[in-house]
Amino acid sequence: MTSYKEKKVISIGIVSELTGLSLRKIRYYEERGLITPERIGNGGSRRYSFADVETLMKIAEKREEGVQTSEIKKELVKERNQKQVRNQMIRGQINAHFNIRK
Amino acid sequence: MTSYKEKKVISIGIVSELTGLSLRKIRYYEERGLITPERIGNGGSRRYSFADVETLMKIAEKREEGVQTSEIKKELVKERNQKQVRNQMIRGQINAHFNIRK
DNA sequence: CGTGTAAGGAATTCTGACACG
DNA sequence: CGTGTAAGGAATTCTGACACG
């Protein structure tokens, strides 16, 4: 079900290498609610997915354009909702196809 | 090009959680040449891909069946070669299709 | 051969805070 | 608001070795 892209397995150091963002920035964007890594172990170290890495790249672009984190957050939430809707429509089609009346 | 599945980004602790194998075992299978994580940083810590994780799961099964690491290694090498051949055949087909004579 | 474990050191990550702007 | 940095501590990872079998 959960694909490799969504699986939270990457530590913050690697994410930093992958995105070119500082640890501080990555943690700050989490604090602002733009990303939600998983917490693991006693120390509570963060684990990110490739999807998170992609999101961070988008965030980096927006920030370079001067967009504030609060704005970026709104955009990200909107995108997530749209994805939601798309998935629900697809599920609806599938249901309609297989059991028109249950 | 390199998909998420092949990208070496997972630390050994996470791999251990994902596979249920001890750190010792994971390192040992590397020593025997069954897997080849990437080394990063000064400390030279290991980074694995999801593909490595899958390979480790296969290895775990074989080991439970009592197969020795030397045998498992042969099997893995064979599988890799077969993949190689398949890919080359596909490339051949594509080439044949697009430029029969160059 | 395959795996566990204790050992000492190095690198990673965490949090809360002060700084600048 | 967004980011850097020094600070102290905790958890992770590394290697080489001894142990058992």
Side-chain angles (χ1 to χ4, degrees), chain A residues 4 9 14 47 50 54, chain B residues 4 9 14 17 47 50 54:
Chain A
Y4 294 139
V9 295
I14 302 284
R47 301 297 157 179
F50 282 112
E54 286 190 7
Chain B
Y4 294 139
V9 296
I14 303 286
E17 283 180 25
R47 300 298 156 180
F50 282 112
E54 286 190 7

Side-chain angles (χ1 to χ4, degrees), chain A residues 2-19:
Chain A
T2 341
S3 66
Y4 294 139
K5 184 169 176 181
E6 315 292 338
K7 202 126 194 177
K8 310 263 186 180
V9 295
I10 315 176
S11 62
I12 195 166
I14 302 284
V15 171
S16 174
E17 283 180 24
L18 258 31
T19 61

